[in-house]
Amino acid sequence: MRTLGIDYGNKRVGLAISTPVGGIAQGLQTIERIDGHDYLEELAEVIKEKEVGEIVVGLPKNMNDTIGEKAEEVLVLVETLKSKFNIPVHTIDERLTTVRANRAMAGAKMTKKGKKKRVDMIAAQFILQSYLDQNRRNAEEDWEVD
């Protein structure tokens, strides 16, 4: 079972997928959110093709840990994904993932437009990797013996 990571933005939806054993996040395409284009259909194709068993969506909390307008929009998306795809959908705090993604590309020899297209995918990788790492730590704690 693979896990799909999503960085949901106003213009683009960045995607990342876990390896089959779930240890590493790999970047996928970015879906453009263009008027009249149903990005959920494109997402459905990815879910089917990659055999996704669960989804994790970055939740953009405010720096003071409150839920703002954008986070409310993401929570609506989470409910939509749960009902449309009938698989578990989780959220994880995504504060500063886009900043980290931009820093990761700082030395890359890419055009500004090229970086803009990749930043959401890289942010989705950070979101997914954080989720995978958190799950691995929780599993290791469950295995600890007193």
Side-chain angles (χ1 to χ4, degrees), residues 34-91:
I34 303 167
D35 289 339
H37 173 74
D38 186 2
Y39 71 93
L40 289 176
E41 289 303 316
E42 202 169 332
L43 193 57
E45 291 174 25
V46 170
I47 290 169
K48 183 178 178 183
E49 176 187 317
K50 299 295 185 182
E51 299 177 347
V52 172
E54 70 178 334
I55 299 171
V56 61
V57 182
L59 185 63
K61 291 183 175 181
N62 295 322
M63 293 309 284
N64 64 0
D65 208 32
T66 60
I67 302 291
E69 187 177 316
K70 186 63 180 174
E72 290 289 345
E73 190 178 328
V74 167
L75 293 173
V76 169
L77 170 69
V78 166
E79 292 307 313
T80 300
L81 296 174
K82 284 179 182 178
S83 65
K84 182 170 178 71
F85 300 116
N86 198 30
I87 58 177
V89 181
H90 314 282
T91 60

Side-chain angles (χ1 to χ4, degrees), residues 13-146:
V13 179
L15 302 178
I17 192 80
S18 69
T19 54
V21 292
I24 299 172
Q26 302 170 323
L28 288 177
Q29 75 268 23
T30 298
I31 299 173
E32 298 289 331
R33 291 188 59 205
I34 303 167
D35 289 339
H37 173 74
D38 186 2
Y39 71 93
L40 289 176
E41 289 303 316
E42 202 169 332
L43 193 57
E45 291 174 25
V46 170
I47 290 169
K48 183 178 178 183
E49 176 187 317
K50 299 295 185 182
E51 299 177 347
V52 172
E54 70 178 334
I55 299 171
V56 61
V57 182
L59 185 63
K61 291 183 175 181
N62 295 322
M63 293 309 284
N64 64 0
D65 208 32
T66 60
I67 302 291
E69 187 177 316
K70 186 63 180 174
E72 290 289 345
E73 190 178 328
V74 167
L75 293 173
V76 169
L77 170 69
V78 166
E79 292 307 313
T80 300
L81 296 174
K82 284 179 182 178
S83 65
K84 182 170 178 71
F85 300 116
N86 198 30
I87 58 177
V89 181
H90 314 282
T91 60
I92 191 166
D93 188 347
E94 71 152 26
R95 282 179 277 192
L96 302 178
T97 54
T98 301
V99 172
R100 287 176 56 205
N102 279 313
R103 284 185 184 152
M105 290 189 303
K109 293 184 179 184
M110 300 171 87
T111 65
K112 189 174 181 179
K113 187 176 180 179
K115 287 180 181 181
K116 205 174 209 180
K117 283 189 168 193
R118 293 191 53 109
V119 71
D120 299 298
M121 180 265 295
I122 293 171
Q125 280 181 271
F126 283 134
I127 289 165
L128 178 55
Q129 193 64 57
S130 293
Y131 177 77
L132 296 172
D133 291 347
Q134 178 180 319
N135 283 351
R136 184 173 47 248
R137 281 191 302 273
N138 290 343
E140 288 170 358
E141 289 173 8
D142 289 346
W143 281 98
E144 288 180 8
V145 178
D146 292 327

